[in-house]
Amino acid sequence: MKSSLLAAVSIFSFISTLSYAQNEDASQLPTEQELIERQTEFGARRVRENMNQWGLFDIFKPRNQCKYAIQVPDSVTRGTIALTFDDGPNAVTTPKILDVLKAHNAKATFFVLGGKIKGHEALLQRILDEGHHLGNHSYSHPNFHDLSSAKTESEVESTDKLLRQFNVPTFFRYPYGNSTCNANDLISSLGYHIVGWDIDTCDWAYADGKVSDKENQTCMAPESLRNDYAGYVLREVQKTQGGVLLMHDIHQNTADSLDRLLTLLEDANYRFVSLDDLNIFPRLNKK
């Protein structure tokens, strides 16, 4: 009797777990406006956390070393720019960005969402044919801090399988840069290098052409540049003298401003490099 009861409980638990996992897999892609709102929220939160100073007794608190993965393991090589675009593909803006990149002979890495791959296979193939890279950016752009283990695996592995139709992807970027230790282990086991950024270009804040007061809590653009995306990015680049740029190929303003931005960078003697350049990013590409 006891063994039958235990068996029944085990079967019920298995079915419940399977049902939960299936429900979690039914992820819905956020709209572009939702992505902007979330980016604003996470950016402001990170600014607040960076401003907090450790108190006398805070040294005894455990630090979560896997909370954010926005760093790039290699120091900036002065005068070099690595272009990256998240959240695509987009049928309208991604092709325009590719046209601009070709005109400037610049290569980029596109961190795509698995939920956007179906129906855009030709566009992803064009990205590869023109010498760019495809990276994994999860399936539905969640906050990995909020995910169960099952959902974490689904977000990473489902996109991985879709990308392998085209080539073997090697770069992964967390939505919002929000990582967990378990997710890091899973992503590394699949052969990925986790990529952050040196400069958030705030193109999500400039999506409508001008940065709002709320969004500017994160971007801190001077009044003279709050409606000048390309000028703002050049200003940020000059602070670091180069590095990995975070952009999004889903925003029309990003696509419309890219030619001017790349021209400004070229005129300032910056050269464009790829994330797989071992001379520029030896630690990032370490086996």
Side-chain angles (χ1 to χ4, degrees):
M1 180 69 178
K2 185 176 180 180
S3 60
S4 298
L5 181 60
L6 289 173
V9 171
S10 297
I11 292 172
F12 177 77
S13 298
F14 173 76
I15 293 173
S16 298
T17 301
L18 180 61
S19 175
Y20 177 71
Q22 288 174 336
N23 288 337
E24 280 203 313
D25 282 341
S27 301
Q28 201 162 11
L29 286 169
T31 65
E32 292 180 12
Q33 185 57 42
E34 287 173 332
L35 287 176
I36 293 172
E37 291 171 356
R38 293 180 192 178
Q39 186 69 55
T40 302
E41 173 193 345
F42 284 112
R45 182 187 305 171
R46 191 166 293 133
V47 168
R48 290 194 299 270
E49 291 177 353
N50 289 339
M51 289 175 65
N52 290 335
Q53 299 296 319
W54 288 81
L56 176 62
F57 296 102
D58 286 343
I59 59 173
F60 299 108
K61 293 180 180 179
R63 299 198 194 194
N64 184 352
Q65 297 298 325
C66 306
K67 188 174 183 182
Y68 297 123
I70 63 174
Q71 294 81 15
V72 178
D74 298 280
S75 300
V76 172
T77 300
R78 290 168 61 92
T80 64
I81 296 291
L83 304 169
T84 68
F85 297 89
D86 290 7
D87 297 352
N90 178 287
V92 175
T93 50
T94 304
K96 181 168 184 177
I97 285 172
L98 288 171
D99 290 342
V100 174
L101 292 173
K102 180 183 287 188
H104 288 265
N105 193 29
K107 305 305 178 187
T109 301
F110 291 82
F111 289 94
V112 304
L113 295 176
K116 290 187 174 183
I117 290 177
K118 186 175 181 180
H120 294 106
E121 291 86 354
L123 184 51
L124 266 62
Q125 191 59 55
R126 179 187 169 185
I127 290 173
L128 292 175
D129 290 345
E130 295 185 3
H132 308 291
H133 292 287
L134 293 175
N136 188 332
H137 195 44
S138 80
Y139 190 86
S140 65
H141 208 282
N143 176 4
F144 273 67
H145 293 173
D146 298 334
L147 302 187
S148 66
S149 296
K151 181 59 176 172
T152 295
E153 292 180 9
S154 174
E155 284 285 334
V156 176
E157 293 183 352
S158 60
T159 305
D160 179 72
K161 290 176 182 177
L162 290 169
L163 286 173
R164 287 177 187 269
Q165 300 175 75
F166 304 93
N167 70 346
V168 178
T170 57
F171 297 116
F172 181 93
R173 175 176 283 160
Y174 283 102
Y176 318 109
N178 286 358
S179 60
T180 69
C181 298
N182 289 338
N184 286 349
D185 291 341
L186 170 65
I187 292 163
S188 296
S189 74
L190 294 172
Y192 283 102
H193 303 293
I194 298 172
V195 185
W197 57 86
D198 296 302
I199 300 168
D200 179 351
T201 68
C202 273
D203 65 340
W204 49 271
Y206 281 90
D208 294 328
K210 183 172 182 177
V211 181
S212 71
D213 290 341
K214 181 179 179 181
E215 291 158 347
N216 209 38
Q217 294 177 38
T218 303
C219 304
M220 294 183 285
E223 191 61 38
S224 62
L225 295 176
R226 285 180 63 171
N227 62 350
D228 182 1
Y229 170 65
Y232 170 80
V233 177
L234 178 62
R235 173 180 177 267
E236 295 304 297
V237 167
Q238 289 172 333
K239 292 179 182 178
T240 61
Q241 295 297 298
V244 178
L245 266 61
L246 166 65
M247 294 178 281
H248 302 80
D249 57 320
I250 60 173
H251 300 311
Q252 188 65 52
N253 187 62
T254 301
D256 293 342
S257 303
L258 187 62
D259 181 65
R260 178 167 176 259
L261 171 58
L262 298 190
T263 299
L264 288 174
L265 291 171
E266 288 168 335
D267 289 346
N269 295 318
Y270 288 95
R271 65 185 179 91
F272 306 117
V273 297
S274 178
L275 287 180
D276 66 346
D277 188 327
L278 292 174
N279 293 319
I280 306 296
F281 303 106
R283 293 182 178 177
L284 176 61
N285 292 280
K286 189 176 181 180
K287 299 294 185 180

